[in-house]
Amino acid sequence: MALKARGIRVPEDIAVVGFGDEFMASMIEPGLTTVNLHPYRIGQQAARLFLEQVQEKEAFQPRTFVITGDLVIRQSSLKAKGEKRKPEFFKLDI
């Protein structure tokens, strides 16, 4: 809305990318390109590690898990005016 108020067109004048792939990202016009970090998966893994740490106490060994995200490309980042295509997904290690 702020860009529109300034007369800046999306995606013709500027590309816009969001973070989180919220429900509304695909419903606004133009659809918002986003990075989906899968917060549910992150929460599940955090809960597993927490429960493991509670059970193992001093024997718990900290470790790192990588949960991949997806780049969901929608119209807000497309160069060609009016170009419509299905969202593309790319794996990102974040």
Side-chain angles (χ1 to χ4, degrees), residues 36-50:
N36 185 348
L37 295 178
H38 306 290
Y40 185 79
R41 281 194 240 163
I42 292 170
Q44 281 181 318
Q45 190 59 53
R48 283 188 198 110
L49 284 172
F50 173 74

Side-chain angles (χ1 to χ4, degrees), residues 16-70:
V16 178
V17 177
F19 194 77
D21 198 33
E22 300 298 327
F23 169 72
M24 294 299 293
S26 64
M27 299 189 72
I28 61 174
E29 186 60 38
L32 181 63
T33 295
T34 59
V35 177
N36 185 348
L37 295 178
H38 306 290
Y40 185 79
R41 281 194 240 163
I42 292 170
Q44 281 181 318
Q45 190 59 53
R48 283 188 198 110
L49 284 172
F50 173 74
L51 293 173
E52 185 179 316
Q53 185 174 14
V54 168
Q55 288 177 336
E56 294 182 13
K57 296 180 175 122
E58 304 300 322
F60 177 75
Q61 293 293 315
R63 55 194 181 281
T64 301
F65 287 89
V66 175
I67 298 176
T68 58
D70 296 315

Side-chain angles (χ1 to χ4, degrees), residues 73-87:
I73 299 175
R74 296 189 181 97
Q75 289 77 24
S76 72
S77 64
L78 298 177
K79 284 187 174 186
K81 184 177 180 179
E83 181 180 346
K84 302 253 184 191
R85 63 182 181 195
K86 285 185 171 181

